[in-house]
């Protein structure tokens, strides 16, 4: 659907341009993306259940969204106050704090989901090892 000026009403191209900008310019966002891919790979290896996947996807989204919002706030503050200003710094620090909170929550959730999976895998390895190489 387009408006009278021929522009998309939904703005997908703008959203995609914004994501492209964040990916190409923000190292922290790329780090979060790589970490997300590693978590997804681990989820595949450990064959997570549907509810576990739902939680993993939600916390990954939570971190990525807060990183995009943080980047937006930082760029806006740099535009409005190019010089160093204590209030601008406080605003940017608060936005970065939101990313930190979301990342810590994601790590805690990841530990809650993956530690039991890892322990179960280790137990299976030891049981299989003991069955193959019994004590004399």
């Amino acid at each position: 659907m387009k408006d009278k000026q021929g522009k998309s009403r939904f703005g997908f191209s703008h959203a995609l341009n914004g994501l492209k900008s964040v990916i190409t310019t923000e190292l922290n966002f790329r780090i979060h993306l790589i970490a997300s891919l590693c978590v997804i790979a681990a989820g595949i290896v450990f064959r997570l259940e549907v509810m576990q996947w739902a939680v993993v996807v939600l916390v990954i989204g939570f971190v990525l969204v807060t990183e995009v919002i943080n980047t937006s706030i930082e760029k806006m503050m740099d535009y409005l106050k190019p010089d160093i200003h204590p209030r601008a710094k406080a605003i940017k620090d608060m936005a970065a704090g939101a990313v930190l909170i979301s990342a810590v929550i994601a790590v805690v959730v990841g530990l809650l989901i993956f530690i039991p999976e890892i322990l179960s895998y280790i137990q299976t390895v030891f049981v299989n090892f003991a069955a193959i190489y019994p004590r004399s």
Side-chain angles (χ1 to χ4, degrees):
M1 299 176 79
K2 297 194 183 244
D3 64 10
K4 293 177 185 176
Q5 298 165 350
K7 296 179 182 176
S8 171
R9 287 186 185 180
F10 298 110
F12 289 120
S13 63
H14 300 296
L16 292 174
N17 287 339
L19 286 175
K20 179 181 174 186
S21 175
V22 170
I23 291 168
T24 58
T25 63
E26 298 301 317
L27 175 62
N28 286 342
F29 190 83
R30 291 192 303 271
I31 291 169
H32 289 301
L33 278 178
I34 291 167
S36 299
L37 292 173
C38 292
V39 170
I40 290 167
I44 292 168
V45 168
F46 287 110
R47 298 179 180 170
L48 296 183
E49 296 177 11
V50 173
M51 287 306 295
Q52 291 172 314
W53 274 117
V55 174
V56 166
V57 168
L58 282 171
V59 295
I60 287 172
F62 183 44
V63 172
L64 295 178
V65 166
T66 55
E67 186 63 53
V68 171
I69 292 170
N70 175 52
T71 299
S72 300
I73 290 169
E74 286 182 352
K75 297 222 183 265
M76 186 184 327
M77 293 312 301
D78 290 343
Y79 176 77
L80 295 174
K81 279 286 185 195
D83 52 322
I84 297 174
H85 192 279
R87 284 192 224 151
K89 180 187 180 314
I91 292 167
K92 290 167 79 171
D93 289 349
M94 286 181 233
V99 176
L100 178 62
I101 291 169
S102 69
V104 168
I105 290 169
V107 167
V108 170
V109 168
L111 292 173
L112 291 171
I113 289 174
F114 284 103
I115 284 179
E117 300 294 333
I118 292 168
L119 292 175
S120 176
Y121 175 76
I122 291 170
Q123 181 181 11
T124 302
V125 168
F126 281 119
V127 167
N128 289 340
F129 182 80
I132 294 170
Y133 300 104
R135 289 186 167 179
S136 21

